[in-house]
Amino acid sequence: MTTALEDLADRLRDFAAARDWEQFHTPKNLAMALAGEVGELLAELQWLTPEESARVMRDPEAAGRMRSELADVAVYLVRLADVLGVDLIEAAHAKLDEGERRYDADTYRGSARKAPPLQ
């Protein structure tokens, strides 16, 4: 059984192949494109107050822009992971496991402070 993320990676791979774009989909280029799209996502929130940003999805026009920018970020992230052979779900779970070891709930509840590096 494949996951939705694997299906998306397959579709992106086919999309790039049909256009002969694999030559451009180097890790460097994909990471740069991802950074650019993250910048566009940030631009949608840049001048909003924290309260306005929390309500951004209530405005249909702003919500459409947010969905579009989030999709661009997801597309480049999934494509980059695929090109590098990284299982994003596995990597995310490993990162969360690390976070659970570094930031025990009792010590860090309600705190934004950084934990010391793991030994």
Side-chain angles (χ1 to χ4, degrees):
M1 175 175 21
T2 63
T3 67
L5 200 56
E6 290 169 331
D7 290 343
L8 178 58
D10 290 343
R11 186 171 177 197
L12 289 167
R13 198 176 312 116
D14 293 345
F15 181 88
R19 289 153 182 82
D20 192 26
W21 286 354
E22 299 102 326
Q23 61 186 317
F24 308 116
H25 286 193
T26 64
K28 177 197 75 76
N29 288 353
L30 290 167
M32 291 176 69
L34 174 60
E37 293 301 339
V38 168
E40 291 180 21
L41 175 64
L42 287 170
E44 290 296 326
L45 300 167
Q46 185 171 7
W47 302 113
L48 302 180
T49 66
E51 295 78 18
E52 289 169 334
S53 71
R55 296 188 309 265
V56 73
M57 295 305 286
R58 294 181 192 162
D59 172 18
E61 188 175 309
R65 292 192 309 270
M66 290 297 292
R67 275 192 296 276
S68 180
E69 296 306 336
L70 286 166
D72 288 342
V73 168
V75 162
Y76 280 113
L77 179 62
V78 170
R79 183 72 179 129
L80 176 59
D82 186 48
V83 166
L84 292 173
V86 172
D87 180 324
L88 274 177
I89 301 299
E90 181 180 296
H93 280 292
K95 192 68 173 183
L96 187 54
D97 291 344
E98 177 186 324
E100 287 175 339
R101 287 190 301 277
R102 290 185 69 196
Y103 296 96
D104 74 275
D106 290 334
T107 302
Y108 288 93
R109 182 172 287 106
S111 172
R113 75 180 192 273
K114 295 289 268 181
L118 286 176
Q119 299 297 327

